[in-house]
């Protein structure tokens, strides 16, 4: 999932990365909606709200919404700065670092919310901003390393693509196109995972309140650890294969 | 478009974004927040349906229906709502006085009221300025729809004179 970059990624890589990160995005979005009455995994609505607040002359609310949009932007910016500058040195580390920042943000929200949250408006605004930053980081990472084919928090674009592909599949020549079918599978996996994440978070929230953010962090942590494990296994297999090959060469000579 | 122009556009947009963010942060510190706006006493002016499923053109809510709706809510029938800075809300009427807790959610567009019994209700703040507050909430008493409550701010002087 995290080791490969752009065009070297397989369908399986994209489905795994898309589904797991969409699952966590769904969890974050539904939780923030329940607790803070604000979306945190998408900014389309925030742009509409920003325009509405400006037209009403509500400058305080407009400023808050602009700051939220900026937090999402800066999250995308930071994750891509890390990828661009460190990808050639260590792809796995460059792709894991943004996820670690995301985990730190979500744990901070969960910890603060659980122990200190007094339900004031300024706390709400800061915590929503932090979550938008975390989601920006995740979206920027997944979009960038999948060559823009996986956007885990952008379900408007995803639904548009599903609509377009469904229309294309009414023609046989498009149904037989393996690339289009693969893209359709990735999109469906993301949509299903996002929805499932939202439902799971909703259920966990009513039992564990802010601790749901620890569960989201665990899902993201799983992505990092799974890749680390795969990396180790791949390295081990490669070493074993090399040894076997060398042994074979020595025996023949 | 040549590379030089593209670079200028990228630079200008980035500067505008950062400046916009700084202005936003300063605004949130300098401007009056919805929390500060709402503090004080508000007098109920009217109750009417903003939208109904029945398509009834008469949007005015009668006193009888208001009483019915209020039975289902924690706000009951209050005439004056006094939002205190500490998060308490005093509801005052001729017959009843009640204290609830209040807080704001979202970007200050949701008013959350909670009762001692842990019952929580949410009201959508449609308008909130120095003189007027309009709250929306959903109901399915009598007619399923959205109720619009309009309040007028009681100025400090006139309220002090009254009590």
């Amino acid at each position: 999932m995290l080791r490969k970059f752009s065009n070297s990624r397989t369908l399986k890589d994209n489905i795994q990365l898309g589904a797991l990160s969409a699952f966590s995005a769904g969890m974050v979005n539904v939780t923030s909606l329940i607790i803070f009455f604000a979306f945190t995994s998408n900014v389309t609505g925030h742009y509409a709200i920003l325009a509405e607040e400006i037209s009403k002359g509500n400058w305080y609310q407009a400023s808050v919404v602009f700051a939220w949009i900026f937090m999402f932007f800066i999250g995308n910016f930071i994750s891509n700065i890390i990828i661009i500058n460190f990808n050639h040195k260590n792809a796995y580390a460059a792709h894991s670092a943004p996820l670690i920042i995301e985990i730190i943000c979500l744990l901070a929200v969960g910890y603060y919310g659980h122990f200190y949250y007094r339900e004031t408006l300024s706390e709400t605004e800061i915590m929503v901003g932090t979550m938008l930053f975390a989601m920006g980081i995740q979206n920027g990472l997944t979009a960038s390393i999948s060559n823009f084919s996986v956007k885990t928090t952008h379900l408007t674009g995803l639904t548009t693509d599903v609509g377009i592909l469904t229309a294309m599949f009414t023609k046989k020549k498009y149904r037989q196109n393996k690339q289009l079918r693969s893209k359709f599978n990735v999109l469906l996996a993301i949509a299903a995972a996002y929805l499932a994440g939202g439902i799971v978070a909703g259920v966990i929230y009513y039992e564990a309140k802010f601790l749901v953010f620890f569960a989201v962090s665990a899902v993201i942590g799983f992505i990092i650890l799974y890749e680390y494990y795969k990396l180790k296994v791949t390295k081990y297999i490669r070493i074993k294969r090399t040894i076997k090959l060398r042994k074979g060469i020595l025996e023949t000579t | 478009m040549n590379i030089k122009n593209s670079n200028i556009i990228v630079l200008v947009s980035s500067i505008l974004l950062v400046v916009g963010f700084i202005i936003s942060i300063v605004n949130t510190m300098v401007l009056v927040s919805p929390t500060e706006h709402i503090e004080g006493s508000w007098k109920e002016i009217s109750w009417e349906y903003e939208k109904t499923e029945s398509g009834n053109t008469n949007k005015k809510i009668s006193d009888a229906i208001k009483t019915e709706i209020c039975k289902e809510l924690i706000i009951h029938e209050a005439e004056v709502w006094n939002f205190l800075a500490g998060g308490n809300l005093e509801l005052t009427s001729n017959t009843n006085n009640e204290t609830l807790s209040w807080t704001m959610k979202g970007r200050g567009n949701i008013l959350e009221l909670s009762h001692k019994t842990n019952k929580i209700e949410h009201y959508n703040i449609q308008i909130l300025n120095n003189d007027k507050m309009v709250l929306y909430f959903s109901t399915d008493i009598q007619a399923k729809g959205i109720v619009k409550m309009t309040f007028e701010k009681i100025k400090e002087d006139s309220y002090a004179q009254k009590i």
Side-chain angles (χ1 to χ4, degrees):
Chain A
M1 277 183 279
L2 300 174
R3 288 158 293 146
K4 297 172 191 169
F5 188 60
S6 278
N7 294 327
S8 60
R9 299 180 62 81
T10 62
L11 172 67
K12 192 185 164 197
D13 288 329
N14 282 342
I15 287 184
Q16 281 179 340
L17 178 70
L20 278 170
S21 44
F23 188 83
S24 63
M27 287 181 89
V28 171
N29 205 23
V30 167
T31 311
S32 69
L33 194 61
I34 295 171
I35 305 174
F36 303 118
F37 288 82
F39 289 109
T40 50
S41 80
N42 55 304
V43 286
T44 316
H46 290 312
Y47 275 97
I49 290 164
L50 175 65
E52 186 199 354
E53 296 295 5
I54 291 171
S55 67
K56 280 182 179 174
N58 292 339
W59 296 108
Y60 178 91
Q61 286 90 333
S63 301
V64 169
V65 177
F66 184 85
W68 285 349
I69 293 171
F70 185 85
M71 291 302 282
F72 191 79
F73 157 81
I74 207 75
N76 281 283
F77 176 82
I78 287 175
S79 69
N80 278 278
I81 280 286
I82 295 170
I83 294 165
I84 291 164
N85 288 300
F86 299 103
N87 194 49
H88 60 282
K89 288 177 186 161
N90 184 337
Y92 173 73
H95 298 166
S96 302
L99 291 181
I100 291 167
I101 300 173
E102 186 188 351
I103 290 177
I104 293 168
C105 291
L106 295 175
L107 286 179
V109 170
Y111 185 79
Y112 185 88
H114 191 70
F115 293 106
Y116 304 108
Y117 185 45
R118 289 175 295 119
E119 298 201 39
T120 63
L121 187 60
S122 49
E123 284 175 309
T124 299
E125 288 159 359
I126 292 167
M127 286 160 100
V128 168
T130 311
M131 282 192 277
L132 275 160
F133 174 73
M135 288 295 101
I137 280 190
Q138 181 182 299
N139 210 32
L141 171 80
T142 52
S144 181
I145 67 174
S146 66
N147 203 18
F148 299 98
S149 63
V150 177
K151 291 193 195 77
T152 52
T153 66
H154 184 61
L155 267 72
T156 315
L158 183 144
T159 312
T160 309
D161 289 350
V162 169
I164 292 167
L165 286 172
T166 311
M168 287 172 86
F169 288 155
T170 56
K171 294 272 180 201
K172 197 180 175 185
K173 67 170 180 178
Y174 293 122
R175 277 199 302 274
Q176 285 169 339
N177 186 320
K178 204 181 164 192
Q179 225 177 346
L180 290 179
R181 285 206 317 267
S182 303
K183 191 179 178 188
F184 192 71
N185 290 339
V186 172
L187 295 175
L188 285 187
I190 292 172
Y194 191 92
L195 193 65
I199 294 166
V200 168
V203 173
I204 296 175
Y205 175 76
Y206 289 110
E207 293 298 323
K209 303 287 172 190
F210 273 92
L211 296 179
V212 69
F213 289 102
F214 292 86
V216 185
S217 303
V219 173
I220 302 162
F222 175 77
I223 301 174
I224 300 170
L225 291 176
Y226 175 75
E227 275 309 293
Y228 185 72
Y229 163 77
K230 290 270 278 184
L231 205 68
K232 284 277 174 197
V233 169
T234 317
K235 204 175 168 184
Y236 177 73
I237 291 169
R238 207 183 298 143
I239 290 167
K240 259 200 136 180
R241 210 177 279 163
T242 317
I243 294 167
K244 219 175 175 182
L245 209 73
R246 276 183 191 162
K247 262 187 183 173
I249 294 166
L250 283 172
E251 276 168 14
T252 48
T253 53
Chain B
M1 198 183 292
N2 62 33
I3 294 170
K4 199 181 170 189
N5 284 346
S6 306
N7 286 345
I8 292 169
I9 289 170
V10 170
L11 185 71
V12 170
S13 338
S14 307
I15 291 170
L16 281 177
L17 265 171
V18 174
V19 169
F21 178 67
I22 294 166
I23 292 172
S24 299
I25 298 299
V26 172
N27 272 352
T28 54
M29 289 189 263
V30 174
L31 295 175
V32 180
S33 77
T35 321
E36 290 163 304
H37 259 309
I38 207 169
E39 282 169 14
S41 300
W42 297 85
K43 187 178 168 37
E44 270 185 29
I45 300 294
S46 67
W47 277 52
E48 53 193 305
Y49 282 116
E50 176 60 23
K51 287 183 183 73
T52 55
E53 276 191 3
S54 60
N56 193 348
T57 48
N58 181 19
K59 289 188 170 178
K60 192 90 186 138
I61 295 175
S62 67
D63 285 344
I65 295 174
K66 185 180 160 184
T67 309
E68 278 297 304
I69 294 171
C70 283
K71 277 181 189 170
E72 300 293 313
L73 302 170
I74 57 174
I75 54 171
H76 300 298
E77 274 188 277
E79 285 162 9
V80 174
W81 295 34
N82 187 16
F83 290 88
L84 302 173
N88 281 339
L89 167 63
E90 291 172 351
L91 300 176
T92 318
S93 70
N94 289 333
T95 54
N96 197 11
N97 286 344
E98 181 116 39
T99 305
L100 307 174
S101 297
W102 70 273
T103 183
M104 277 185 179
K105 294 288 171 80
R107 56 189 189 277
N109 60 322
I110 303 289
L111 175 65
E112 184 180 281
L113 301 182
S114 49
H115 194 254
K116 283 172 243 161
T117 54
N118 285 339
K119 196 175 175 194
I120 295 171
E121 283 168 7
H122 296 104
Y123 298 81
N124 210 319
I125 302 171
Q126 201 62 23
I127 299 171
L128 178 61
N129 55 39
N130 288 330
D131 312 304
K132 192 180 175 188
M133 175 167 72
V134 175
L135 301 180
Y136 284 5
F137 67 91
S138 300
T139 182
D140 53 4
I141 306 288
Q142 295 284 339
K144 197 176 173 80
I146 295 168
V147 173
K148 176 182 172 186
M149 298 164 74
T150 308
F151 296 81
E152 188 184 74
K153 187 127 192 191
I154 303 170
K155 300 291 176 197
E156 291 288 321
D157 299 344
S158 58
Y159 188 59
Q161 278 168 7
K162 201 178 168 186
I163 48 175

